[in-house]
């Protein structure tokens, strides 16, 4: 042992004797003797999932393809996931997205699930499918179709009527999933969820779960089946789990969700109010202990917080959410999961996207960015860089899969805790270091003394500064190398030409040590940086000491092992590195520089594809057979770099600026003719006494006025009611349901007499309301009068508690024209209703269910790019006034985004730096006929709306159509509207325009 090493070990031991602290202690929460259960190529025991008999740590994130209506861009997101280290993607499928009417299903175009699952396989990702029938996902009705609103059967039970409806969907979706299973050799689906967050556990739900399980098997799904338990209640664990107070059922695996770690304040401040929970080996155990509810199956977090959703009237929380559950949170919380034996982790969300059209439930507005690793604009956030580092270690150390507690270590500081796990097969170690508790933010120095596979070691002093964690490994074989321990963290390991390459990192200016085992003293060559080396002949330990900062490069050869190159830097340095794994390439390559490396393929010529945000240096470590490099198809002149690399002689070019046109040449037309007494409503449906399926009570004896009863499930509906004027017609009392920040406008004989809005600014919004509107004098004059009511439905509720909450009323529940001192409903009113063109027989099946409601302009096709607006009035923006009701504005513009660039362009209203406007109005935003969002100026917070390429024509003509609703008060009019570049890179994937009708098929 060298003198320096001996003195450091003695010093560490002395410190530990001064203030000893004990590491985390595991409890017998898992049955490590549980037998392996096999489902074709997929199997599992209590420790991990296995594919073809090989243990694997599932590192997944959720993606909603239905929230990105440009299918070519699905590949962009999947490639970013793969490049960032994910090995799995989870997909929800939205029943209602595919079915506008009972018996009608569509899996083409933006609903092509075959294409989506093919893409995932092509990009080398395993898939977890989650097909409902109920999914939640902050979708209107939680993913149920609109037509199910009229079914009186209790949803999510074994009621035969509900099961028949669910089976209709499952008979469509299950076979698609089945043919993409890994067991068929044609796909990569490895797990399938049969229900989501079913929080009721009566016998009716038990029989329902058995039915779903049997249906999946009958439809050919052979991979393990699971249910996602809302909040770790121990519901629907596999039969035979034998844990007190759990509810056993048919699923093969038990999975749960959790969103710990606090939330941002309304002022956009990150909080650290709770420590990372122990939901496995080191937790309390029992039914509510997470993985402990199912001791015979691996820990499985089907949803673990990767962000959080935002609500109407907030101050805009997505960027704060990205930090709240971002860098450092991921390291602390996801690492705690890993240490606790949560061998299957899926983060919700990986990419959230856009709740375009009428997709959103009342609890969210258009953007579903979620603060995810990949933003709504498809930007790779900083948090994704940390995920890439963590995933890199998981990929480099397959021994992490199936680890179990290894016993306590000794820690010198009571402010620090260590989770210590090992592989039963190889004895490799994982040490997760956090503060005690893990949300503590102090600056602590400490040592760890542990019995490791290669001996008892006192690790050199380390530092944990602020909210943070360290993922350390020890006793690990990496290719031809033996890592005794490192106080740095490992991001990548590669085997190149018989040698090894390690990429290690730590916090800036923190000391680091790496110890490697050799049979004899190796040769150490420091190419760049300040790295000190020493060799302990007795132990065979080569010790490297350094300070993390700019990239250090070290080559080690001899000593009885293959040659090795070490690259050591701080987090900022290693974030520049991208490893293209063996799924996508022939012969691995480590690439340094660009904002994203999508793939690396080839033999003598290494073909790299990726993105650059700016002119970027490029450096590549690759096998010796590589003689040349291309980047996005263009030849890159290279020279020989240090430590065996190839270096581009010139930086890779960045993107050119995108020049956007000023939106001008506006035309406008009034859009509420339904308010006029002479409007022809002969084709409208008459309100009658048809069956009532809502959970919302209505006054006895009144007709069924709900919009769903008449086949109108999305967006706006109009009611027209005729009554005879009388002296008693003093007021109108409405009871209505309209979702989050929904509203009604009431007209009498063509004039607005009142407007009511449901309140914003509530995380769980009030979704029904009442309005009392005084009727003006004309209502009391003889003759026929017409009440016209426009109601905006901002989504149906979810059914999170399995209580049919999704069947809360939407539309008018009751309407009473009355004398204030008289009887209600005393004055007869003959009502009619009109909503979306065609109702459930949608006239634009390409854009589909979510695209349209019942505005007059929508029914006439004014939102579509081929509509001729030449006769409309020419206007300029910003508008100074607006008529009461809805007005339509249209303009066209040309784009010429440079070829080979991927830009995200949005439509922005007013002052985008503010969450709300000083004026009141609403806008439905249509781009080339696609309803890309709703702007509520006085509610907020969203003011800029993402329009993905494929919906937006980046190299040609586009049409923007806006349906602006106002009460007509002074100033409540459309503000300035502009195009903005939200993201711009050189690279991307090829994107075609989504083919969709330019004019309405049959306007009525």
């Amino acid at each position: 042992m060298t003198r320096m090493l001996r003195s450091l070990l003695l010093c560490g031991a002395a410190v530990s004797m001064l203030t000893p602290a004990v590491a985390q202690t595991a409890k017998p929460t898992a049955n490590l003797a549980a037998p392996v259960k096999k489902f074709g190529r997929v199997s599992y025991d209590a420790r991990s999932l296995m594919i073809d008999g090989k243990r694997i740590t599932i590192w997944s994130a959720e993606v909603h393809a239905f929230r990105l209506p440009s299918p070519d861009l699905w590949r962009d997101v999947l490639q970013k996931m793969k490049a960032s280290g994910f090995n799995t993607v989870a997909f929800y499928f939205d029943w209602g997205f595919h079915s506008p009417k009972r018996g009608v299903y569509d899996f083409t175009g933006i609903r092509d699930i075959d294409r989506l699952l093919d893409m995932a396989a092509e990009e080398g990702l395993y898939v977890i499918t989650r097909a409902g029938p109920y999914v939640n996902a902050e979708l209107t009705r939680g993913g149920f179709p609109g037509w199910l609103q009229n079914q009186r059967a209790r949803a999510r039970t074994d009621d035969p009527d509900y099961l028949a409806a669910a089976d209709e969907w499952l008979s469509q979706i299950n076979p698609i999933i089945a043919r993409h299973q890994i067991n068929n050799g044609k796909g990569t689906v490895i797990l399938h969820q049969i229900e989501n967050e079913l929080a009721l556990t009566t016998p009716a739900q038990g029989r329902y779960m058995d039915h779903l399980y049997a249906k999946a098997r009958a439809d050919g799904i052979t991979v393990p089946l699971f249910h996602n338990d809302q909040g770790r209640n121990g519901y629907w664990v596999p039969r035979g789990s034998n844990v007190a107070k759990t509810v056993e059922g048919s699923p093969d695996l038990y999975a749960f969700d959790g969103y710990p770690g606090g939330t941002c304040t309304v002022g956009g401040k990150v909080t650290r109010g709770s420590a990372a929970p122990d939901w496995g080996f080191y937790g309390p155990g029992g039914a509510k202990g997470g993985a402990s509810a199912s001791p015979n199956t691996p820990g499985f977090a089907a949803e673990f917080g990767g962000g959080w959703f935002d609500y109407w009237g907030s101050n805009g929380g997505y960027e704060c959410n990205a930090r709240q559950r971002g860098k450092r949170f991921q390291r602390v919380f996801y690492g705690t999961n890993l240490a606790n034996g949560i061998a299957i982790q899926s983060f919700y969300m990986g990419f959230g996207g856009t709740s375009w059209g009428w997709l959103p439930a009342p609890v969210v507005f258009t953007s579903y960015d979620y603060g995810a690793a990949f933003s709504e604009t498809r930007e790779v956030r900083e948090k994704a860089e940390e995920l890439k580092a963590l995933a890199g270690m998981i990929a480099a150390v397959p021994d992490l899969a199936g680890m179990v507690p290894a016993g306590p270590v000794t820690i010198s500081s009571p402010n620090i805790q260590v989770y210590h796990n090992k592989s039963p097969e190889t004895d490799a170690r994982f040490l997760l270091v956090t503060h005690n508790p893990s949300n503590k933010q102090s600056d602590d120095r400490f040592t760890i003394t542990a019995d490791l596979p290669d001996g008892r070691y006192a690790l050199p002093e380390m530092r944990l500064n602020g909210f943070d964690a360290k993922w350390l490994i020890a006793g690990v074989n990496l290719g031809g190398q033996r890592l005794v321990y490192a106080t740095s963290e490992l991001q990548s390991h590669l085997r190149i030409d018989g040698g090894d390459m390690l990429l290690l990192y730590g916090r800036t200016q923190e000391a680091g040590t790496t110890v490697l085992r050799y049979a004899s003293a190796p040769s150490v060559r420091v190419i760049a940086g300040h790295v000190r080396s020493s060799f302990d002949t007795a132990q065979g330990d080569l010790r490297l000491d350094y300070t993390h900062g700019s990239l250090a490069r070290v080559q080690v050869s001899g000593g009885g092992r293959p040659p090795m190159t070490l690259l050591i830097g701080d987090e900022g340095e290693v974030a520049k590195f991208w490893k293209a794994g063996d799924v996508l390439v022939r012969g691995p390559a480590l690439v340094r520089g660009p904002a994203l490396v999508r793939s690396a393929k080839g033999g003598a010529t290494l073909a790299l594809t990726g993105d650059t945000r700016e002119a970027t240096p490029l450096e590549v470590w690759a096998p010796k057979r590589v003689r040349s490099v291309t980047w996005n198809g263009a030849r890159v002149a290279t020279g020989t770099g240090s430590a065996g690399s190839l270096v581009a002689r010139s930086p890779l070019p960045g993107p050119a600026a995108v020049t956007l046109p000023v939106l001008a040449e506006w035309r406008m037309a009034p859009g509420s003719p339904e308010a006029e007494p002479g409007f022809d409503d002969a084709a409208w449906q008459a309100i009658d006494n048809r069956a009532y399926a809502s959970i919302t009570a209505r006054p006895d004896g009144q007709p069924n006025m709900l919009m769903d009863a008449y086949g109108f499930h999305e967006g706006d509906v109009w009611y027209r009611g005729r009554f005879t004027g009388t002296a008693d017609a003093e007021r109108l009392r409405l009871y209505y349901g309209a979702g989050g920040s929904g509203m009604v406008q009431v007209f009498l004989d063509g004039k607005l007499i009142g407007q009511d809005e449901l309140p914003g600014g509530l995380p769980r919004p009030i979704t029904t309301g009442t309005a009392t509107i005084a009727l003006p004098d004309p209502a009391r004059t003889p003759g026929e009068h017409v009440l016209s009511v426009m109601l905006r439905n901002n989504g149906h509720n979810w059914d999170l508690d399995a209580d049919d909450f999704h069947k809360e009323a939407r539309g008018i529940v009751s309407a009473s024209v009355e004398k204030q001192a008289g009887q209600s409903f005393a004055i007869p009113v003959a009502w009619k209703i009109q909503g979306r063109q065609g109702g459930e027989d949608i006239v634009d099946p390409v854009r589909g269910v979510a695209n349209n409601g019942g505005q007059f302009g929508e029914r006439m096709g004014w939102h579509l790019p081929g509509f001729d607006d030449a006769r409309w009035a020419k206007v300029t923006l910003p508008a100074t006034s607006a008529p009461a009701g809805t007005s339509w504005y249209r303009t066209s513009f040309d784009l010429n985004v440079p070829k080979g660039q991927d830009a995200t362009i949005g439509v922005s209203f007013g002052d985008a730096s503010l969450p709300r406007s000083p004026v009141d109005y609403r806008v439905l935003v249509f781009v080339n006929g696609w309803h890309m969002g709703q702007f509520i100026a006085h509610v907020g917070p969203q003011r800029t709306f993402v329009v993905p390429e494929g919906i937006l024509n980046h190299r040609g003509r586009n049409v923007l159509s806006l349906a602006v609703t106002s009460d007509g008060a002074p100033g409540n009019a459309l503000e300035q509207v502009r195009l903005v570049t939200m993201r711009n890179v050189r690279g991307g994937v090829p994107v075609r325009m989504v083919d969709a009708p330019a004019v309405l098929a049959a306007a009525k």
Side-chain angles (χ1 to χ4, degrees):
M1 183 183 291
T2 64
R3 181 178 300 172
M4 182 176 71
L5 179 59
R6 184 181 293 111
S7 66
L8 281 170
L9 290 177
L10 289 173
C11 176
V15 172
S16 69
M17 287 187 290
L18 289 174
T19 55
V22 180
Q24 293 293 84
T25 302
K27 301 172 181 65
T29 59
N31 177 16
L32 300 180
V36 173
K37 292 195 173 183
K38 296 183 179 180
F39 298 79
R41 293 177 62 190
V42 183
S43 58
Y44 61 82
D45 59 12
R47 292 166 49 202
S48 75
L49 202 71
M50 289 168 270
I51 298 176
D52 296 329
K54 183 179 179 181
R55 294 190 182 276
I56 182 172
T57 298
I58 297 299
W59 190 254
S60 173
E62 186 90 15
V63 170
H64 295 165
F66 49 80
R67 283 184 161 120
L68 181 57
S70 179
D72 285 338
L73 290 177
W74 298 345
R75 188 177 300 277
D76 174 74
V77 173
L78 295 174
Q79 287 184 351
K80 285 170 179 170
M81 288 187 66
K82 183 67 178 180
S84 298
F86 289 99
N87 57 26
T88 304
V89 58
F91 293 130
Y92 262 145
F93 301 131
D94 176 357
W95 179 4
F97 190 63
H98 295 268
S99 182
K101 182 179 182 179
R102 184 151 196 177
V104 177
Y105 288 87
D106 189 346
F107 293 92
T108 63
I110 62 173
R111 292 166 291 278
D112 191 341
I113 292 176
D114 276 306
R115 183 180 180 189
L116 175 69
L117 295 177
D118 281 341
M119 280 186 187
E122 291 161 4
E123 299 306 330
L125 291 164
Y126 295 120
V127 175
I128 300 170
T129 50
R130 310 207 295 157
Y134 180 77
V135 297
N136 199 58
E138 290 71 61
L139 290 166
T140 185
R141 301 176 296 269
F144 283 146
W147 53 263
L148 199 68
Q149 295 296 104
N150 295 320
Q151 186 179 88
R152 302 186 75 175
R154 177 78 172 261
R156 308 176 77 186
T157 70
D158 66 340
D159 186 291
D161 289 343
Y162 170 72
L163 289 183
D167 281 356
E168 189 180 284
W169 160 244
L170 296 173
S171 294
Q172 297 283 334
I173 188 64
N174 282 351
I176 296 174
I177 293 167
R179 62 178 172 258
H180 290 274
Q181 294 173 108
I182 194 171
N183 288 341
N184 293 345
K186 297 180 181 179
T188 53
V189 174
I190 57 172
L191 298 170
H192 177 66
Q193 178 177 306
I194 59 173
E195 239 282 0
N196 186 61
E197 299 177 326
L198 183 59
L200 280 187
T201 59
T202 73
Q205 275 78 35
R207 293 187 294 269
Y208 168 52
M209 290 291 285
D210 289 345
H211 178 90
L212 295 179
Y213 186 98
K215 177 64 175 166
R217 293 293 183 229
D219 289 336
I221 297 178
T222 58
V223 296
L225 305 179
F226 70 96
H227 162 268
N228 173 39
D229 185 13
Q230 178 189 341
R232 304 157 314 284
N233 298 294
Y235 294 165
W236 313 117
V237 303
R239 292 189 173 99
S241 296
N242 297 323
V243 175
K245 298 182 180 180
T246 59
V247 176
E248 296 188 354
S250 52
D252 304 306
L253 289 167
Y254 172 68
F256 57 87
D257 62 25
Y259 293 82
T263 57
C264 291
T265 69
V266 293
K269 301 295 184 184
V270 169
T271 63
R272 296 295 176 213
S274 63
D278 292 314
W279 286 338
F281 295 147
Y282 300 93
K288 296 184 181 295
S292 58
S294 180
N296 302 321
T297 62
F300 184 176
E303 293 180 24
F304 197 85
W308 194 244
F309 59 85
D310 202 4
Y311 55 92
W312 287 112
S314 79
N315 290 323
Y318 283 137
E319 289 306 319
C320 185
N321 285 339
R323 299 191 303 273
Q324 178 76 31
R325 289 188 171 94
K327 190 174 180 181
R328 300 294 185 254
F329 169 91
Q330 300 167 141
R331 194 175 291 279
V332 173
F333 280 70
Y334 304 168
T336 300
N337 282 348
L338 190 64
N340 272 274
I342 311 300
I344 307 171
Q345 294 193 69
S346 190
F347 309 122
Y348 192 102
M349 295 290 300
F351 168 78
T354 304
S355 292
W356 60 280
W358 299 109
L359 280 178
V363 294
V364 290
F365 48 88
T366 300
S367 175
Y368 199 71
D369 178 281
Y370 218 82
F374 309 104
S375 72
E376 184 184 11
T377 65
R378 295 176 292 108
E379 183 63 86
V380 179
R381 279 192 166 111
E382 181 186 32
K383 63 188 286 184
E385 296 176 348
E386 183 177 74
L387 287 171
K388 178 177 64 174
L390 302 179
M393 192 197 81
I394 290 171
V397 187
D399 298 359
L400 285 170
M403 280 195 168
V404 299
V409 300
T410 302
I411 313 158
S412 65
S413 170
N415 296 328
I416 300 296
Q417 61 186 356
V418 177
Y419 298 82
H420 180 207
N421 289 4
K422 68 178 180 181
S423 165
E425 289 78 19
T426 67
D427 205 29
R429 304 300 173 88
F430 171 60
L431 296 97
L432 176 73
V433 182
T434 76
H435 276 108
N436 184 19
S438 63
N439 61 326
K440 195 171 183 177
Q441 301 182 57
S442 54
D443 185 356
D444 293 289
R445 298 177 186 272
F446 60 94
T447 63
I448 300 170
T449 302
D451 291 313
L452 301 175
D454 295 298
R456 183 171 178 81
Y457 287 87
L459 277 60
E461 184 180 79
M462 289 176 276
R463 181 185 184 190
L464 198 62
N465 184 12
F467 182 61
D468 200 359
K470 295 182 185 295
W471 292 29
L472 306 180
I473 54 174
V476 174
N477 293 321
L478 297 169
Q481 312 302 320
R482 176 69 174 181
L483 178 67
V484 176
Y485 72 81
T487 64
S488 298
E489 294 168 82
L490 176 69
Q491 175 162 315
S492 295
H493 166 254
L494 295 89
R495 291 282 287 170
I496 299 180
D497 295 329
D500 296 285
M501 174 170 284
L502 301 182
L503 177 62
L504 299 164
Y505 68 96
R507 313 301 172 265
T508 303
Q509 294 304 305
E510 285 189 14
T513 298
T514 298
V515 176
L516 300 143
R517 178 62 56 88
Y518 287 88
S520 59
S523 173
V524 178
R525 178 179 172 225
V526 178
I527 298 171
H530 300 284
V531 180
R532 304 175 302 281
S533 65
S534 59
F535 185 72
D536 182 340
T537 305
Q539 290 281 90
D541 286 353
L542 171 67
R543 174 168 168 160
L544 304 174
D545 293 288
Y546 42 81
T547 298
H548 298 103
S550 58
L551 195 67
R553 307 168 189 236
V554 181
Q555 290 184 329
V556 182
S557 58
R561 294 193 181 277
M564 176 178 59
T565 299
L566 292 98
L567 305 176
I568 306 168
D570 61 18
E571 290 175 291
E573 280 290 339
V574 300
K576 302 172 185 176
F577 283 81
W578 301 86
K579 177 181 178 294
D582 56 9
V583 174
L584 293 176
V585 301
R586 297 188 213 106
L590 190 65
V591 183
R592 180 178 182 233
L596 174 72
V597 174
R598 296 176 182 272
S599 66
K601 301 179 181 180
T605 297
L606 183 64
L608 300 174
T609 63
D611 300 346
T612 55
R613 297 190 190 99
E614 57 195 7
T616 306
L618 176 69
E619 188 171 9
V620 178
W621 285 262
K624 293 178 181 177
R625 68 172 184 273
V626 173
R627 294 287 184 265
S628 60
V629 175
T630 63
W631 176 258
N632 291 340
R635 187 71 174 261
V636 177
T638 60
T640 301
S642 60
S645 65
L646 295 173
V647 179
R649 296 187 184 278
S650 301
L652 301 176
V658 175
T659 302
L660 297 176
V662 174
L663 297 179
E665 305 298 325
W666 288 96
R667 292 182 178 268
M668 188 272 283
S672 297
E674 300 96 332
E676 297 301 323
F679 179 80
D680 182 4
D681 59 14
W684 289 23
Q685 295 184 64
I687 296 294
D688 56 30
N689 291 309
R690 64 189 61 191
Y692 191 84
S694 175
I695 63 169
T696 303
R698 57 176 170 161
D700 293 340
Q702 290 302 299
N704 186 349
M705 299 188 71
L706 303 187
M707 58 188 287
D708 290 292
Y710 299 87
F712 306 126
H713 309 300
E714 279 78 32
D716 299 339
V717 289
W718 275 91
Y719 295 84
R720 283 171 56 86
R722 290 177 169 84
F723 69 95
T724 300
T726 170
D728 289 343
E730 293 181 352
R731 67 182 185 182
L732 170 67
R733 285 196 300 123
L734 290 178
Y735 178 21
Y736 70 99
S741 293
M743 55 93 73
V744 289
Q745 287 189 325
V746 180
F747 300 81
L748 178 69
D749 297 336
K751 295 182 179 180
L752 183 71
I753 61 171
Q755 175 173 303
D756 192 68
E757 297 186 331
L758 297 176
L762 302 173
R764 296 293 183 270
I766 297 168
T767 48
T768 63
T770 59
T772 299
I773 298 171
L775 296 176
D777 291 340
R780 290 178 286 281
T781 61
E784 183 179 82
H785 298 280
V786 179
L787 283 168
S788 301
V789 181
M790 192 281 284
L791 183 144
R792 175 152 300 169
N793 167 29
N794 279 345
H796 292 74
N797 300 338
W798 53 28
D799 191 33
L800 189 61
D801 296 321
D803 56 1
D804 272 358
F805 191 37
H806 64 292
K807 293 180 187 174
E808 182 187 72
R810 290 296 179 265
I812 296 177
V813 180
S814 64
S816 174
V817 176
E818 62 190 32
K819 183 178 179 66
Q820 180 170 340
Q823 290 187 346
S824 57
F825 306 103
I827 300 174
V829 183
W831 289 98
K832 286 189 169 185
I833 186 172
Q834 176 65 52
R836 178 173 59 202
Q837 169 82 329
E840 292 178 356
D841 296 309
I842 54 176
V843 298
D844 186 354
V846 173
R847 295 181 179 89
V849 176
N851 200 64
N852 290 109
Q855 282 288 336
F856 180 82
E858 293 177 276
R859 305 199 308 271
M860 297 297 106
W862 294 359
H863 62 293
L864 294 170
F867 175 77
D868 183 2
D869 58 17
R871 296 182 181 180
W872 287 16
K874 294 183 178 180
V875 295
T876 59
L877 294 183
T880 57
S881 63
T886 298
S887 304
W888 283 76
Y889 293 76
R890 284 171 55 97
T891 190
S892 61
F893 58 92
D894 294 318
L895 293 177
N896 188 22
V897 176
K899 290 185 178 180
Q901 289 189 199
D902 179 9
T904 300
I905 295 169
V907 178
S908 190
F909 295 85
D911 184 351
S913 68
L914 300 174
R916 277 165 284 283
S917 297
V919 292
D920 297 9
Y921 66 96
R922 298 166 182 246
V923 183
L924 304 183
V925 183
F926 292 91
V927 180
N928 294 326
W930 295 83
H931 180 188
M932 294 313 301
Q934 180 181 184
F935 171 54
I936 309 183
H938 53 292
V939 176
Q942 185 174 2
R943 305 188 69 95
T944 301
F945 295 80
V946 172
V947 186
E949 186 180 4
I951 300 301
L952 192 66
N953 187 349
H954 277 202
R955 295 167 192 90
R957 174 60 55 95
N958 296 273
V959 175
L960 176 62
S961 306
L962 306 176
V964 181
T965 300
S966 170
D967 61 3
N972 288 348
L974 183 60
E975 299 164 275
Q976 191 66 49
V977 184
R978 60 179 61 84
L979 300 174
V980 294
T981 302
M982 305 178 74
R983 171 181 163 273
N984 183 28
V985 298
R986 189 181 184 102
V989 298
V991 179
R992 295 161 293 181
M993 287 294 292
V994 180
D995 191 20
V999 295
L1000 204 61
K1004 294 182 181 177

